[in-house]
Amino acid sequence: MKTFHHISSLLLWKDSSVRMVAGRWTLLGLFLFSACLSHAQTARTWDDGKNGKDDWSEKNNWSNNNEPDKADEVATFAGGNAGSTSIEIDEDLRTGGIRFNSDLTIASLTFTNSSKELSIRSGGASYGISNDSTKVITFQNEMKIEADMTWASTHASGGSMVFENTIDTDGNDLTFLTTNALNTITLGGEIKDGNIIKSGAGTLNYNMASNDYTGSTTVQAGLLNLQTGGGDDGILGALIIGDSVGAANTATLKLIDSNGISNQSAVTVNSDGKWDVNGKQDTVGSIAGSGNITLGSGSDLRTGGNNNSTTFSGVISGAGTLMKIGSGNQTLSGTSANTYSG
């Protein structure tokens, strides 16, 4: 292998792929070192340089006349956003990430064109999508992700994001973080592929008619409202409520409509989890865990659709009914008495 003589000014990092050979740096080591230096994040701020032609792809609309299409570039929106309250996704586009700064002063911002897709390329720290403002950010276009990542609403005084169209995860994990109780994220289009994680104290709203992803849905903290218009394909795969880390009832899934969960879905309600059936009807594959299930007047909850045998050691409460179907066994083994009256 070709080698370079030792350069004393280079920083020696502890990586097994970077080696000294007889006092010289390997070509592989220098290549990796230079690659690391060349991938610093770059913010491209919207400045509406085209004076009212608010197309994302217009390079003059961005600082230094550079559209943020590279993996290490973040589309940034700040202050008065140069007066723009609507930006068109005028073609299928890619960007490293998106950030709405805390100093954003316009009341709301909408990205338009339902027939085009905006793809987020990078999922590392400070990439993905983050609304650090108190404003309402709406995406009417299709969305896609190219890596595991987080989409977040973070301001302590509120702030929300609305995604009205399809989200294609391309098999990656997508985390929706609503950091504070006043933060919300709402999904109006179907999700394709991957696994979905809800984290943070705020609210995630599922307001779509159906979904296409069969991966898991995990509510680590906060509230997930499931509103699918009565269809049973809002959640198709495994549903995990709680991560066994927080206090009781700090991770909640609430049914807004009946039949939002597939008849085959395995539902686990962990110790910090709460499943609020909210007086609705639903049939699921199985129920396990040690958390809380509240039924509510008029509830008809059925379990056993996947014919698996499971144990639930938590508490079921409320004025509703519980029915076991299928060939598997459902064991209720909690030390606290169930109080449901149906």
Side-chain angles (χ1 to χ4, degrees), residues 63-80:
S63 58
N64 299 319
N65 296 330
N66 283 306
E67 176 193 349
D69 55 357
K70 297 181 176 60
D72 60 357
E73 294 181 323
V74 175
T76 303
F77 303 88

Side-chain angles (χ1 to χ4, degrees), residues 254-257 275-280 294-299:
K254 183 176 182 178
L255 296 182
I256 305 301
D257 294 320
W275 182 7
D276 184 356
V277 182
N278 191 34
K280 309 303 179 185
T294 59
L295 298 176
S297 179
S299 287

Side-chain angles (χ1 to χ4, degrees), residues 8 19 46 58 106 115 166 187 246 284 328 333 338-339:
S8 60
R19 302 179 179 89
W46 180 267
E58 287 285 351
I106 54 175
S115 66
T166 300
L187 312 182
V284 300
S333 65
N338 290 312
T339 60

Side-chain angles (χ1 to χ4, degrees), residues 149-153 173-187 191 195-206 213 216-226 235 238-243 250-254 272:
M149 68 179 61
T150 297
W151 293 0
S153 181
D173 293 351
L174 179 54
T175 297
F176 293 98
L177 168 62
T178 50
T179 305
N180 305 287
L182 295 177
N183 300 138
T184 63
I185 297 176
T186 300
L187 312 182
I191 302 170
N195 301 304
I196 301 300
I197 300 109
K198 159 69 181 77
S199 64
T203 300
L204 174 64
N205 297 310
Y206 269 27
Y213 75 101
S216 62
T217 303
T218 302
V219 185
Q220 294 180 337
L223 172 64
L224 171 55
N225 286 319
L226 183 59
I235 294 177
L239 170 61
I240 302 99
I241 307 171
D243 57 6
T250 55
T252 301
L253 180 129
K254 183 176 182 178
D272 55 337

Side-chain angles (χ1 to χ4, degrees), residues 5 14 24 39 93 162 167 171 208 250 275 301 338 341:
H5 290 292
K14 295 180 179 179
R24 293 173 291 180
H39 282 81
L93 298 162
V162 180
I167 299 173
M208 68 283 286
T250 55
W275 182 7
L301 179 59
N338 290 312
S341 57

